[in-house]
PDB file of all heavy atoms in Angstrom:
ATOM      1  N   THR A 181     -19.152  -8.553  14.701  1.00  0.00           N
ATOM      2  CA  THR A 181     -18.230  -8.379  15.824  1.00  0.00           C
ATOM      3  C   THR A 181     -17.145  -9.454  15.869  1.00  0.00           C
ATOM      4  O   THR A 181     -16.367  -9.475  16.806  1.00  0.00           O
ATOM      5  CB  THR A 181     -19.002  -8.404  17.157  1.00  0.00           C
ATOM      6  OG1 THR A 181     -19.717  -9.636  17.253  1.00  0.00           O
ATOM      7  CG2 THR A 181     -19.968  -7.240  17.239  1.00  0.00           C
ATOM      8  N   ASN A 182     -17.101 -10.318  14.890  1.00  0.00           N
ATOM      9  CA  ASN A 182     -16.088 -11.369  14.852  1.00  0.00           C
ATOM     10  C   ASN A 182     -14.705 -10.730  14.675  1.00  0.00           C
ATOM     11  O   ASN A 182     -14.448 -10.041  13.688  1.00  0.00           O
ATOM     12  CB  ASN A 182     -16.376 -12.323  13.688  1.00  0.00           C
ATOM     13  CG  ASN A 182     -15.421 -13.499  13.668  1.00  0.00           C
ATOM     14  OD1 ASN A 182     -14.433 -13.545  14.378  1.00  0.00           O
ATOM     15  ND2 ASN A 182     -15.741 -14.462  12.822  1.00  0.00           N
ATOM     16  N   PRO A 183     -13.780 -10.919  15.626  1.00  0.00           N
ATOM     17  CA  PRO A 183     -12.475 -10.256  15.524  1.00  0.00           C
ATOM     18  C   PRO A 183     -11.589 -10.815  14.416  1.00  0.00           C
ATOM     19  O   PRO A 183     -10.621 -10.183  14.027  1.00  0.00           O
ATOM     20  CB  PRO A 183     -11.842 -10.511  16.899  1.00  0.00           C
ATOM     21  CG  PRO A 183     -12.512 -11.733  17.396  1.00  0.00           C
ATOM     22  CD  PRO A 183     -13.910 -11.715  16.841  1.00  0.00           C
ATOM     23  N   HIS A 184     -11.894 -11.986  13.894  1.00  0.00           N
ATOM     24  CA  HIS A 184     -11.078 -12.577  12.839  1.00  0.00           C
ATOM     25  C   HIS A 184     -11.419 -12.017  11.467  1.00  0.00           C
ATOM     26  O   HIS A 184     -10.647 -12.183  10.533  1.00  0.00           O
ATOM     27  CB  HIS A 184     -11.225 -14.097  12.833  1.00  0.00           C
ATOM     28  CG  HIS A 184     -10.779 -14.720  14.127  1.00  0.00           C
ATOM     29  ND1 HIS A 184      -9.461 -14.753  14.502  1.00  0.00           N
ATOM     30  CD2 HIS A 184     -11.476 -15.285  15.140  1.00  0.00           C
ATOM     31  CE1 HIS A 184      -9.352 -15.332  15.691  1.00  0.00           C
ATOM     32  NE2 HIS A 184     -10.568 -15.669  16.094  1.00  0.00           N
ATOM     33  N   LEU A 185     -12.545 -11.365  11.336  1.00  0.00           N
ATOM     34  CA  LEU A 185     -12.915 -10.750  10.068  1.00  0.00           C
ATOM     35  C   LEU A 185     -12.539  -9.274  10.141  1.00  0.00           C
ATOM     36  O   LEU A 185     -13.340  -8.419  10.499  1.00  0.00           O
ATOM     37  CB  LEU A 185     -14.421 -10.919   9.812  1.00  0.00           C
ATOM     38  CG  LEU A 185     -14.896 -12.372   9.735  1.00  0.00           C
ATOM     39  CD1 LEU A 185     -16.402 -12.419   9.602  1.00  0.00           C
ATOM     40  CD2 LEU A 185     -14.242 -13.104   8.592  1.00  0.00           C
ATOM     41  N   VAL A 186     -11.294  -8.989   9.802  1.00  0.00           N
ATOM     42  CA  VAL A 186     -10.776  -7.641  10.032  1.00  0.00           C
ATOM     43  C   VAL A 186     -11.008  -6.691   8.859  1.00  0.00           C
ATOM     44  O   VAL A 186     -10.925  -5.483   9.027  1.00  0.00           O
ATOM     45  CB  VAL A 186      -9.270  -7.685  10.346  1.00  0.00           C
ATOM     46  CG1 VAL A 186      -9.041  -8.373  11.658  1.00  0.00           C
ATOM     47  CG2 VAL A 186      -8.497  -8.384   9.249  1.00  0.00           C
ATOM     48  N   PHE A 187     -11.278  -7.196   7.696  1.00  0.00           N
ATOM     49  CA  PHE A 187     -11.454  -6.327   6.546  1.00  0.00           C
ATOM     50  C   PHE A 187     -12.926  -5.989   6.396  1.00  0.00           C
ATOM     51  O   PHE A 187     -13.718  -6.753   5.872  1.00  0.00           O
ATOM     52  CB  PHE A 187     -10.899  -6.991   5.280  1.00  0.00           C
ATOM     53  CG  PHE A 187      -9.429  -7.223   5.365  1.00  0.00           C
ATOM     54  CD1 PHE A 187      -8.924  -8.459   5.686  1.00  0.00           C
ATOM     55  CD2 PHE A 187      -8.551  -6.173   5.161  1.00  0.00           C
ATOM     56  CE1 PHE A 187      -7.563  -8.667   5.782  1.00  0.00           C
ATOM     57  CE2 PHE A 187      -7.188  -6.366   5.254  1.00  0.00           C
ATOM     58  CZ  PHE A 187      -6.694  -7.615   5.566  1.00  0.00           C
ATOM     59  N   ARG A 188     -13.288  -4.837   6.885  1.00  0.00           N
ATOM     60  CA  ARG A 188     -14.675  -4.387   6.856  1.00  0.00           C
ATOM     61  C   ARG A 188     -14.786  -3.166   5.954  1.00  0.00           C
ATOM     62  O   ARG A 188     -13.822  -2.427   5.790  1.00  0.00           O
ATOM     63  CB  ARG A 188     -15.133  -3.992   8.258  1.00  0.00           C
ATOM     64  CG  ARG A 188     -14.991  -5.064   9.274  1.00  0.00           C
ATOM     65  CD  ARG A 188     -15.368  -4.511  10.643  1.00  0.00           C
ATOM     66  NE  ARG A 188     -14.784  -5.286  11.717  1.00  0.00           N
ATOM     67  CZ  ARG A 188     -15.205  -6.461  12.113  1.00  0.00           C
ATOM     68  NH1 ARG A 188     -16.212  -7.015  11.536  1.00  0.00           N
ATOM     69  NH2 ARG A 188     -14.624  -7.106  13.091  1.00  0.00           N
ATOM     70  N   PRO A 189     -15.957  -2.914   5.433  1.00  0.00           N
ATOM     71  CA  PRO A 189     -16.116  -1.686   4.653  1.00  0.00           C
ATOM     72  C   PRO A 189     -16.022  -0.473   5.571  1.00  0.00           C
ATOM     73  O   PRO A 189     -16.429  -0.517   6.725  1.00  0.00           O
ATOM     74  CB  PRO A 189     -17.522  -1.816   4.050  1.00  0.00           C
ATOM     75  CG  PRO A 189     -18.212  -2.822   4.886  1.00  0.00           C
ATOM     76  CD  PRO A 189     -17.169  -3.728   5.455  1.00  0.00           C
ATOM     77  N   ARG A 190     -15.461   0.588   5.072  1.00  0.00           N
ATOM     78  CA  ARG A 190     -15.317   1.805   5.865  1.00  0.00           C
ATOM     79  C   ARG A 190     -16.664   2.495   6.013  1.00  0.00           C
ATOM     80  O   ARG A 190     -17.540   2.386   5.169  1.00  0.00           O
ATOM     81  CB  ARG A 190     -14.331   2.755   5.210  1.00  0.00           C
ATOM     82  CG  ARG A 190     -12.945   2.192   5.211  1.00  0.00           C
ATOM     83  CD  ARG A 190     -12.000   3.207   4.713  1.00  0.00           C
ATOM     84  NE  ARG A 190     -10.654   2.624   4.693  1.00  0.00           N
ATOM     85  CZ  ARG A 190      -9.596   3.282   4.312  1.00  0.00           C
ATOM     86  NH1 ARG A 190      -9.709   4.519   3.914  1.00  0.00           N
ATOM     87  NH2 ARG A 190      -8.426   2.705   4.319  1.00  0.00           N
ATOM     88  N   GLU A 191     -16.767   3.222   7.098  1.00  0.00           N
ATOM     89  CA  GLU A 191     -18.003   3.960   7.332  1.00  0.00           C
ATOM     90  C   GLU A 191     -17.954   5.268   6.556  1.00  0.00           C
ATOM     91  O   GLU A 191     -16.903   5.862   6.372  1.00  0.00           O
ATOM     92  CB  GLU A 191     -18.178   4.201   8.829  1.00  0.00           C
ATOM     93  CG  GLU A 191     -18.336   2.888   9.578  1.00  0.00           C
ATOM     94  CD  GLU A 191     -18.238   3.068  11.081  1.00  0.00           C
ATOM     95  OE1 GLU A 191     -18.213   4.221  11.545  1.00  0.00           O
ATOM     96  OE2 GLU A 191     -18.162   2.050  11.774  1.00  0.00           O
ATOM     97  N   LYS A 192     -19.098   5.747   6.148  1.00  0.00           N
ATOM     98  CA  LYS A 192     -19.183   6.927   5.296  1.00  0.00           C
ATOM     99  C   LYS A 192     -18.671   8.181   5.991  1.00  0.00           C
ATOM    100  O   LYS A 192     -18.180   9.091   5.358  1.00  0.00           O
ATOM    101  CB  LYS A 192     -20.636   7.153   4.853  1.00  0.00           C
ATOM    102  CG  LYS A 192     -21.238   6.005   4.108  1.00  0.00           C
ATOM    103  CD  LYS A 192     -20.689   5.908   2.718  1.00  0.00           C
ATOM    104  CE  LYS A 192     -21.356   4.767   1.986  1.00  0.00           C
ATOM    105  NZ  LYS A 192     -20.854   4.556   0.674  1.00  0.00           N
ATOM    106  N   GLU A 193     -18.770   8.242   7.319  1.00  0.00           N
ATOM    107  CA  GLU A 193     -18.388   9.442   8.044  1.00  0.00           C
ATOM    108  C   GLU A 193     -16.905   9.757   7.881  1.00  0.00           C
ATOM    109  O   GLU A 193     -16.517  10.907   7.871  1.00  0.00           O
ATOM    110  CB  GLU A 193     -18.709   9.281   9.524  1.00  0.00           C
ATOM    111  CG  GLU A 193     -20.193   9.124   9.787  1.00  0.00           C
ATOM    112  CD  GLU A 193     -20.471   8.689  11.215  1.00  0.00           C
ATOM    113  OE1 GLU A 193     -19.526   8.642  12.010  1.00  0.00           O
ATOM    114  OE2 GLU A 193     -21.633   8.413  11.510  1.00  0.00           O
ATOM    115  N   LYS A 194     -16.083   8.737   7.759  1.00  0.00           N
ATOM    116  CA  LYS A 194     -14.651   8.964   7.635  1.00  0.00           C
ATOM    117  C   LYS A 194     -14.314   9.707   6.351  1.00  0.00           C
ATOM    118  O   LYS A 194     -13.376  10.469   6.295  1.00  0.00           O
ATOM    119  CB  LYS A 194     -13.897   7.640   7.691  1.00  0.00           C
ATOM    120  CG  LYS A 194     -13.941   7.006   9.064  1.00  0.00           C
ATOM    121  CD  LYS A 194     -13.129   5.750   9.106  1.00  0.00           C
ATOM    122  CE  LYS A 194     -13.224   5.123  10.482  1.00  0.00           C
ATOM    123  NZ  LYS A 194     -12.474   3.876  10.573  1.00  0.00           N
ATOM    124  N   TYR A 195     -15.082   9.463   5.305  1.00  0.00           N
ATOM    125  CA  TYR A 195     -14.813  10.147   4.053  1.00  0.00           C
ATOM    126  C   TYR A 195     -15.120  11.631   4.158  1.00  0.00           C
ATOM    127  O   TYR A 195     -14.491  12.450   3.523  1.00  0.00           O
ATOM    128  CB  TYR A 195     -15.638   9.530   2.919  1.00  0.00           C
ATOM    129  CG  TYR A 195     -15.180   8.143   2.545  1.00  0.00           C
ATOM    130  CD1 TYR A 195     -16.008   7.049   2.716  1.00  0.00           C
ATOM    131  CD2 TYR A 195     -13.917   7.929   2.028  1.00  0.00           C
ATOM    132  CE1 TYR A 195     -15.597   5.769   2.378  1.00  0.00           C
ATOM    133  CE2 TYR A 195     -13.487   6.652   1.688  1.00  0.00           C
ATOM    134  CZ  TYR A 195     -14.330   5.586   1.856  1.00  0.00           C
ATOM    135  OH  TYR A 195     -13.920   4.336   1.519  1.00  0.00           O
ATOM    136  N   LYS A 196     -16.092  11.983   4.979  1.00  0.00           N
ATOM    137  CA  LYS A 196     -16.468  13.386   5.112  1.00  0.00           C
ATOM    138  C   LYS A 196     -15.412  14.182   5.864  1.00  0.00           C
ATOM    139  O   LYS A 196     -15.330  15.390   5.725  1.00  0.00           O
ATOM    140  CB  LYS A 196     -17.807  13.500   5.846  1.00  0.00           C
ATOM    141  CG  LYS A 196     -18.969  12.946   5.049  1.00  0.00           C
ATOM    142  CD  LYS A 196     -20.246  13.041   5.838  1.00  0.00           C
ATOM    143  CE  LYS A 196     -21.389  12.379   5.096  1.00  0.00           C
ATOM    144  NZ  LYS A 196     -22.620  12.357   5.880  1.00  0.00           N
ATOM    145  N   LEU A 197     -14.593  13.500   6.667  1.00  0.00           N
ATOM    146  CA  LEU A 197     -13.601  14.191   7.475  1.00  0.00           C
ATOM    147  C   LEU A 197     -12.375  14.615   6.671  1.00  0.00           C
ATOM    148  O   LEU A 197     -11.601  15.447   7.125  1.00  0.00           O
ATOM    149  CB  LEU A 197     -13.158  13.303   8.640  1.00  0.00           C
ATOM    150  CG  LEU A 197     -14.246  12.952   9.651  1.00  0.00           C
ATOM    151  CD1 LEU A 197     -13.685  12.016  10.709  1.00  0.00           C
ATOM    152  CD2 LEU A 197     -14.776  14.214  10.308  1.00  0.00           C
ATOM    153  N   ARG A 198     -12.207  14.059   5.496  1.00  0.00           N
ATOM    154  CA  ARG A 198     -11.047  14.421   4.692  1.00  0.00           C
ATOM    155  C   ARG A 198     -11.168  15.854   4.207  1.00  0.00           C
ATOM    156  O   ARG A 198     -12.196  16.292   3.737  1.00  0.00           O
ATOM    157  CB  ARG A 198     -10.945  13.525   3.470  1.00  0.00           C
ATOM    158  CG  ARG A 198     -10.179  12.300   3.729  1.00  0.00           C
ATOM    159  CD  ARG A 198      -9.893  11.597   2.440  1.00  0.00           C
ATOM    160  NE  ARG A 198      -9.550  10.229   2.760  1.00  0.00           N
ATOM    161  CZ  ARG A 198      -9.513   9.265   1.906  1.00  0.00           C
ATOM    162  NH1 ARG A 198      -9.824   9.482   0.656  1.00  0.00           N
ATOM    163  NH2 ARG A 198      -9.189   8.057   2.278  1.00  0.00           N
ATOM    164  N   LYS A 199     -10.063  16.547   4.322  1.00  0.00           N
ATOM    165  CA  LYS A 199     -10.034  17.914   3.820  1.00  0.00           C
ATOM    166  C   LYS A 199      -9.567  17.895   2.377  1.00  0.00           C
ATOM    167  O   LYS A 199      -8.689  17.127   2.001  1.00  0.00           O
ATOM    168  CB  LYS A 199      -9.093  18.764   4.654  1.00  0.00           C
ATOM    169  CG  LYS A 199      -9.544  18.933   6.080  1.00  0.00           C
ATOM    170  CD  LYS A 199      -8.564  19.798   6.836  1.00  0.00           C
ATOM    171  CE  LYS A 199      -9.010  19.966   8.273  1.00  0.00           C
ATOM    172  NZ  LYS A 199      -8.067  20.760   9.047  1.00  0.00           N
ATOM    173  N   LYS A 200     -10.132  18.770   1.604  1.00  0.00           N
ATOM    174  CA  LYS A 200      -9.689  18.872   0.224  1.00  0.00           C
ATOM    175  C   LYS A 200      -8.459  19.756   0.173  1.00  0.00           C
ATOM    176  O   LYS A 200      -8.397  20.808   0.806  1.00  0.00           O
ATOM    177  CB  LYS A 200     -10.789  19.463  -0.649  1.00  0.00           C
ATOM    178  CG  LYS A 200     -11.970  18.549  -0.794  1.00  0.00           C
ATOM    179  CD  LYS A 200     -12.986  19.105  -1.748  1.00  0.00           C
ATOM    180  CE  LYS A 200     -14.136  18.136  -1.888  1.00  0.00           C
ATOM    181  NZ  LYS A 200     -15.141  18.610  -2.811  1.00  0.00           N
ATOM    182  N   ARG A 201      -7.471  19.314  -0.555  1.00  0.00           N
ATOM    183  CA  ARG A 201      -6.255  20.102  -0.679  1.00  0.00           C
ATOM    184  C   ARG A 201      -6.454  21.196  -1.705  1.00  0.00           C
ATOM    185  O   ARG A 201      -7.069  20.997  -2.744  1.00  0.00           O
ATOM    186  CB  ARG A 201      -5.090  19.223  -1.101  1.00  0.00           C
ATOM    187  CG  ARG A 201      -4.663  18.274  -0.035  1.00  0.00           C
ATOM    188  CD  ARG A 201      -3.395  17.604  -0.437  1.00  0.00           C
ATOM    189  NE  ARG A 201      -2.941  16.762   0.662  1.00  0.00           N
ATOM    190  CZ  ARG A 201      -1.883  15.998   0.590  1.00  0.00           C
ATOM    191  NH1 ARG A 201      -1.180  15.952  -0.502  1.00  0.00           N
ATOM    192  NH2 ARG A 201      -1.524  15.273   1.609  1.00  0.00           N
ATOM    193  N   MET A 202      -5.894  22.328  -1.387  1.00  0.00           N
ATOM    194  CA  MET A 202      -5.976  23.443  -2.320  1.00  0.00           C
ATOM    195  C   MET A 202      -4.577  23.720  -2.851  1.00  0.00           C
ATOM    196  O   MET A 202      -3.612  23.788  -2.090  1.00  0.00           O
ATOM    197  CB  MET A 202      -6.532  24.679  -1.624  1.00  0.00           C
ATOM    198  CG  MET A 202      -7.930  24.484  -1.085  1.00  0.00           C
ATOM    199  SD  MET A 202      -8.554  25.936  -0.268  1.00  0.00           S
ATOM    200  CE  MET A 202      -8.729  27.026  -1.654  1.00  0.00           C
ATOM    201  N   ASN A 203      -4.475  23.873  -4.137  1.00  0.00           N
ATOM    202  CA  ASN A 203      -3.194  24.201  -4.749  1.00  0.00           C
ATOM    203  C   ASN A 203      -3.074  25.713  -4.819  1.00  0.00           C
ATOM    204  O   ASN A 203      -3.454  26.340  -5.801  1.00  0.00           O
ATOM    205  CB  ASN A 203      -3.087  23.575  -6.140  1.00  0.00           C
ATOM    206  CG  ASN A 203      -3.046  22.075  -6.077  1.00  0.00           C
ATOM    207  OD1 ASN A 203      -2.541  21.528  -5.111  1.00  0.00           O
ATOM    208  ND2 ASN A 203      -3.565  21.415  -7.088  1.00  0.00           N
TER     209      ASN A 203
END
Side-chain angles (χ1 to χ4, degrees):
T181 57
N182 185 350
H184 299 290
L185 300 175
V186 294
F187 297 100
R188 303 175 202 284
R190 294 187 181 181
E191 296 169 9
K192 302 286 182 183
E193 297 169 7
K194 291 183 181 179
Y195 290 116
K196 293 178 185 175
L197 296 177
R198 272 191 199 165
K199 295 181 180 178
K200 292 185 179 181
R201 291 189 176 177
M202 299 180 68
N203 294 329

